[in-house]
């Protein structure tokens, strides 16, 4: 039997070997844009790749959530052991008898207290491990093709990069914005179109068959009904975001080609504008994207129709209620931020500001309120403070690169009021001065012997460093030293 130390040593060694192979795959793909890889299945089945895949799946909180087979990480560790489980999966893959299982559908409430329901799919643990191994093999290859203005679900990239990109072009004169959302993107991607995109890089029939099997695995409802998967990427699957990016790379390629052919130089851009045309740039985060345009709303509407034609072969269309044309002065919401040009208080100068959106503020206020519901009065005060610190700390860390200082203060004030009401309900007969002496320090800061209320305001607000194309990936730590010109 493998001890914990043995598994850790093997895992560390496997991670190094997998990383080395990923570097090679990425280098080969980058050096030859037309190269097709025809021997990838052996990597998917490789013991090191499967071990790293298992470690990533088991290290996720979702490892305790079972699929339709009711198997969790604890089940595996108790009954068979991780290595035996990995060997079993490898045997099924190599014998050609591995079959993805339908995902288990669950319903959870959406955030912001809207009362709406979000449907999620939970794959089995074995399916998650195989998908993770597939991702380890495929991601370095397709990352060589992905555009620098695509940010969602990609290594070393984050939402703040997309926001910084928009800000960069907005202050350079790109003042008209097409804000767009693709309707049910992950559920509607056409399988034929997606597999066509995958085949541009992968010719290994066994890998293609495995991907297609995951696409067609289906969904098992709570009442045991099996729903077939005719479109979309695997619900809840580790592979799903990568497959979506592979499909939407068609849109990125269209934008990149338009930029390089018609707007690649300052002379081309000035000439195009002089003739009454417009220049534009796409910034995409998964299925949400904006096009910043140096032109009119008419140009934006024309561009919208062009993009509609690009998306149609993928089986995708705009969510019309979430898609529109605005100016930077009107402002718009993207990835939780409101981006808008405003006059600086006390001056006649205007600047482009990025601040937490009203929807984001409403969402965190709802979480604070839920943490302070009457139903939580049974818990210890320290536990309440810890929970609020986690909520507000995580929220503030996401928004700390915006103009957020006053918003953080307002959120902390709201949280303080909710906590005070919670304390009054829990200790209704206690006098105010006694409550202050028992639950506060330094005036009115909530605290216990072990925990202080830190809130959002303790998170420093800092300017985000615009990285442009200078974003390395895990397999190429030397970033391209290229500066984007937005003129």
């Amino acid at each position: 039997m493998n001890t914990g130390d043995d598994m850790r040593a093997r895992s560390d060694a496997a991670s190094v070997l997998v990383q080395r192979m990923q570097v090679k795959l990425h280098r080969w793909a980058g050096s030859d844009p037309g190269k097709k890889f025809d021997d990838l299945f052996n990597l998917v089945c490789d013991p090191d790749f499967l071990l790293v895949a298992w470690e990533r799946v088991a290290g996720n909180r979702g490892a305790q959530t079972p699929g339709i087979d009711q198997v969790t990480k604890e089940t595996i560790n108790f009954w068979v052991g991780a290595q035996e489980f990995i060997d079993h999966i490898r045997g099924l893959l190599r014998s050609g008898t591995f079959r993805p299982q339908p995902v288990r559908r669950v319903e959870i409430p959406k955030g912001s207290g809207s009362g709406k329901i979000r449907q999620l799919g939970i794959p089995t643990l074995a399916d998650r491990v195989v998908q993770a191994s597939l991702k380890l093999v495929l991601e370095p290859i397709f990352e060589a093709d992905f555009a620098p203005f695509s940010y969602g679900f990609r290594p070393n990239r984050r939402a703040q990069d997309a926001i910084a990109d928009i800000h960069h072009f907005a202050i350079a004169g790109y003042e008209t914005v097409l804000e767009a959302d693709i309707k049910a993107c992950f559920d509607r991607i056409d399988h034929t179109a997606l597999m066509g995109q995958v085949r541009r890089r992968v010719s290994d029939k066994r890998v293609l068959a495995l991907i297609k099997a995951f696409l067609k695995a289906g969904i098992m409802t709570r009442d045991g009904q099996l729903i077939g998967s005719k479109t979309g990427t695997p619900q809840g699957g580790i592979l799903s975001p990568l497959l979506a990016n592979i499909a939407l790379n068609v849109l990125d390629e269209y934008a990149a080609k338009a930029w390089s052919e018609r707007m690649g130089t300052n002379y081309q851009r000035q000439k195009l504008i002089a003739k009454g045309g417009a220049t534009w740039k796409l910034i995409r985060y998964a299925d949400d994207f904006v096009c910043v345009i140096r032109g009119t709303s008419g140009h934006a509407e024309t561009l919208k129709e062009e993009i509609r034609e690009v998306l149609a072969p993928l089986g995708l269309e705009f969510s019309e209620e979430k898609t529109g044309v605005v100016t930077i002065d009107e402002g718009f919401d993207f990835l939780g931020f409101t981006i808008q040009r405003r006059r600086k208080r006390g001056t006649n100068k205007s600047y482009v500001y990025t601040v937490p959106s009203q929807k984001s503020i409403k969402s965190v206020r709802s979480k604070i309120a839920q943490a302070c519901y009457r139903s939580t009065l049974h818990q210890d005060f320290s536990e309440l403070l810890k929970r609020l610190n986690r909520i507000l700390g995580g929220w503030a860390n996401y928004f700390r690169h915006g103009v957020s200082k006053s918003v953080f203060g307002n959120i902390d004030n709201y949280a303080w009021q909710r906590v005070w009401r919670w304390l009054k309900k829990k200790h209704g007969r206690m006098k105010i001065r006694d409550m202050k002496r028992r639950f506060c320090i330094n005036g009115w800061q909530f605290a216990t012997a072990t925990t202080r209320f830190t809130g959002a305001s303790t998170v420093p607000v800092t300017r985000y460093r615009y990285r442009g194309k200078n974003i390395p990936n895990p397999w190429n730590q030397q970033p391209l030293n290229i500066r984007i010109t937005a003129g």
Side-chain angles (χ1 to χ4, degrees):
M1 178 179 291
N2 289 308
T3 66
D5 290 340
D6 289 339
M7 282 294 292
R8 279 192 291 273
R10 280 210 57 225
S11 178
D12 292 342
S15 296
V16 172
L17 294 172
V18 168
Q19 172 76 6
R20 288 176 181 172
M21 178 52 67
Q22 287 180 314
V23 169
K24 292 180 181 179
L25 292 171
H26 185 71
R27 184 173 68 245
W28 293 334
S31 62
D32 184 0
K35 180 177 177 58
K36 291 187 177 183
F37 293 80
D38 58 2
D39 188 18
L40 298 177
F41 190 76
N42 287 330
L43 290 178
V44 176
C45 303
D46 184 83
D48 293 321
F49 275 78
L50 286 173
L51 178 56
V52 172
W54 161 258
E55 291 291 339
R56 294 190 178 182
V57 170
N60 191 287
R61 284 191 304 173
Q64 301 299 337
T65 306
I68 63 171
D69 60 359
Q70 298 301 308
V71 174
T72 66
K73 179 181 74 171
E74 294 303 321
T75 309
I76 298 300
N77 289 334
F78 183 79
W79 289 106
V80 294
Q83 190 58 57
E84 289 76 7
F85 180 65
I86 294 169
D87 292 341
H88 175 67
I89 293 175
R90 184 168 185 258
L92 293 177
L93 286 169
R94 292 184 64 83
S95 66
T97 57
F98 177 84
R99 298 290 183 271
Q101 300 298 305
V103 299
R104 180 170 68 90
R105 171 170 287 177
V106 296
E107 297 178 345
I108 62 172
K110 287 189 175 181
S112 304
S114 63
K116 296 182 179 179
I117 298 297
R118 184 190 304 277
Q119 293 184 336
L120 299 178
I122 303 177
T124 65
L125 208 63
D127 287 351
R128 280 177 256 178
V129 171
V130 176
Q131 286 193 36
S133 186
L134 272 169
K135 184 183 177 185
L136 289 170
V137 174
L138 296 177
E139 190 173 47
I141 296 171
F142 285 96
E143 271 292 326
D145 299 333
F146 289 161
F149 47 79
S150 165
Y151 297 100
F153 302 111
R154 295 182 58 191
N156 291 353
R157 291 168 176 261
R158 41 191 175 266
Q160 286 77 9
D161 288 313
I163 298 298
D165 215 0
I166 295 170
H167 189 274
H168 173 75
F169 281 94
I171 62 177
Y174 289 69
E175 300 179 357
T176 302
V177 180
L178 169 63
E179 51 172 337
D181 180 82
I182 301 173
K183 187 175 183 179
C185 175
F186 286 81
D187 296 329
R188 296 192 175 193
I189 293 176
D190 181 81
H191 288 172
T192 302
L194 171 58
M195 292 304 298
Q197 288 296 106
V198 174
R199 288 189 181 95
R200 293 173 62 179
R201 278 298 196 175
V202 178
S203 59
D204 189 318
K205 293 182 179 180
R206 292 175 295 178
V207 169
L208 293 171
L210 189 56
I211 295 172
K212 190 171 183 178
F214 277 115
L215 294 176
K216 301 295 185 182
I219 303 165
M220 186 70 72
T221 63
R222 292 174 64 180
D223 58 5
Q225 180 184 0
L226 179 61
I227 301 174
S229 304
K230 296 181 180 179
T231 60
T233 57
Q235 276 207 0
I238 296 170
L239 195 60
S240 186
L242 175 60
L243 292 178
N245 271 331
I246 291 172
L248 291 173
N249 196 47
V250 172
L251 173 60
D252 298 344
E253 288 177 340
Y254 173 80
K257 183 178 180 182
W259 180 269
S260 63
E261 291 183 354
R262 304 198 302 268
M263 302 170 281
T265 66
N266 185 59
Y267 173 76
Q268 287 178 308
R269 293 191 289 274
Q270 296 300 329
K271 185 177 179 180
L272 186 60
I273 292 171
K275 290 183 177 181
T279 59
W280 58 278
K281 194 73 175 179
L282 172 73
I283 296 101
R284 182 174 69 82
Y285 191 94
D287 55 337
D288 294 325
F289 67 89
V290 299
C291 293
V292 287
I293 304 159
R294 193 169 188 175
T296 65
S297 59
H299 292 126
E301 292 292 346
T302 300
L303 177 60
K304 178 182 174 182
E305 296 308 311
E306 292 176 10
I307 293 176
R308 190 191 303 275
E309 293 180 5
V310 174
L311 295 176
L314 296 173
L316 301 176
E317 60 183 4
F318 288 123
S319 173
E320 295 297 340
E321 63 273 16
K322 298 180 181 179
T323 301
V325 177
V326 297
T327 66
I328 196 66
D329 292 320
E330 294 171 318
F332 63 98
D333 292 351
F334 189 63
L335 302 179
F337 287 89
T338 293
I339 305 170
Q340 186 178 24
R341 184 165 58 192
R342 302 173 180 175
R343 184 176 62 84
K344 185 178 181 180
R345 185 180 302 175
T347 72
N348 291 322
K349 295 182 179 181
S350 296
Y351 299 90
V352 177
Y353 289 87
T354 58
V355 299
S357 69
Q358 288 301 311
K359 184 177 179 181
S360 300
I361 294 172
K362 182 180 178 182
S363 176
V364 75
R365 284 168 66 101
S366 176
K367 291 179 181 178
I368 293 168
Q370 290 174 22
C372 299
Y373 278 170
R374 185 181 295 271
S375 60
T376 66
L377 291 176
H378 67 280
Q379 69 182 359
D380 185 75
F381 187 45
S382 292
E383 292 305 312
L384 175 64
L385 294 184
K386 289 176 183 177
R387 183 178 178 187
L388 289 174
N389 285 342
R390 286 195 299 269
I391 292 171
L392 294 175
W395 189 84
N397 267 304
Y398 180 83
F399 289 105
R400 67 191 177 96
H401 297 298
V403 183
S404 306
K405 187 174 182 178
S406 63
V407 176
F408 289 178
N410 291 336
I411 290 296
D412 280 355
N413 183 55
Y414 174 77
W416 192 96
Q417 294 178 33
R418 296 299 304 215
V419 173
W420 184 251
R421 288 165 59 183
W422 186 89
L423 284 171
K424 288 203 297 184
K425 291 175 185 176
K426 188 176 179 72
H427 305 280
R429 297 182 180 180
M430 190 180 294
K431 294 181 180 180
I432 291 178
R433 65 172 180 269
D434 293 331
M435 291 176 62
K436 180 182 179 182
R437 184 178 64 252
R438 180 175 174 183
F439 300 114
C440 299
I441 61 171
N442 301 329
W444 289 95
Q445 182 186 13
F446 291 124
T448 67
T450 59
T451 309
R452 293 187 182 190
F453 175 74
T454 54
S457 298
T458 57
V459 176
V461 175
T462 59
R463 181 184 294 274
Y464 190 75
R465 182 174 61 87
Y466 174 63
R467 299 195 290 172
K469 288 187 176 181
N470 298 316
I471 304 177
N473 62 49
W475 317 291
N476 176 18
Q477 291 301 321
Q478 295 297 322
L480 295 173
N481 190 21
I482 302 172
R483 179 170 177 78
I484 296 178
T485 304

